[in-house]
Amino acid sequence: MTSATNEPPALPDTVFVHPSAEVDAGARIGDGTKVWHLAHVRSTAQVGANCIIGRNVYVDANVVVGDLVKIQNNVSVYQGVTIEDEVFVGPCAVFTNDLRPRAQNPDWQITPTTVRKGASIGANATIVCGVEIGEYAMIAAGSVVTKDVKPHQLVAGNPARPLGWVDVKGQVVSRDKENPPHDL
């Protein structure tokens, strides 16, 4: 564990940081969280309690991650992203934070993205900045999310399109693409 000042950051005793991971001084990590091989948590990032930060995960400055979140291997969570409690982010998913990226743009602005409680994002999904993913929504593997996803909505494809609705356990409960069941 290293930091920008070569001083280990002050973390709760219950936090596990693999020796190959880098947690910058100033990062806040909650009790019971595990940061695995080659992960990097930047200095102003906040990671909640009982999270799993997988191998080669990058958590950028000012990112907020809630409690009980699982971020699988090779995920990049860039500045401007807020991930609420109990979210699952599958391997190799990526979040963007710039709608008009250029290598040289002194006027660039971060476009925020929010992932609400209990949502699941499948492997290799891309979340284009500026969207909100609703509570308990389900993003299928490989999807490219370019628009807001409603709570409990199941989406898939490039661009991601509605396929139905899921319950809090992730079970498909309706294939009606427009109208969620009343009991969600």
Side-chain angles (χ1 to χ4, degrees), residues 126-140:
T126 299
I127 310 302
V128 176
C129 57
V131 300
E132 180 175 314
I133 297 174
E135 287 189 351
Y136 300 102
M138 180 79 68
I139 311 302

Side-chain angles (χ1 to χ4, degrees), residues 8-106:
L11 299 174
D13 290 340
T14 59
V15 171
F16 170 80
V17 177
H18 189 273
S20 68
E22 186 171 347
V23 176
D24 292 348
R28 296 192 335 212
I29 299 181
D31 286 330
T33 290
K34 294 176 175 63
V35 181
W36 288 101
H37 304 75
L38 303 171
H40 185 183
V41 180
R42 296 286 306 277
S43 64
T44 53
Q46 298 176 43
V47 178
N50 299 305
C51 294
I52 297 173
I53 306 298
R55 179 183 179 92
N56 199 39
V57 169
Y58 177 72
V59 181
D60 201 1
N62 302 317
V63 165
V64 176
V65 176
D67 297 336
L68 300 165
V69 171
K70 187 173 192 177
I71 302 176
Q72 296 280 54
N73 298 349
N74 302 310
V75 172
S76 295
V77 186
Y78 292 112
Q79 193 168 167
V81 175
T82 299
I83 298 174
E84 292 185 352
D85 297 344
E86 301 176 30
V87 169
F88 173 86
V89 182
C92 301
V94 69
F95 295 85
T96 68
N97 67 357
D98 189 349
L99 285 174
R100 291 168 204 85
R102 292 286 187 242
Q104 298 299 316
N105 182 1

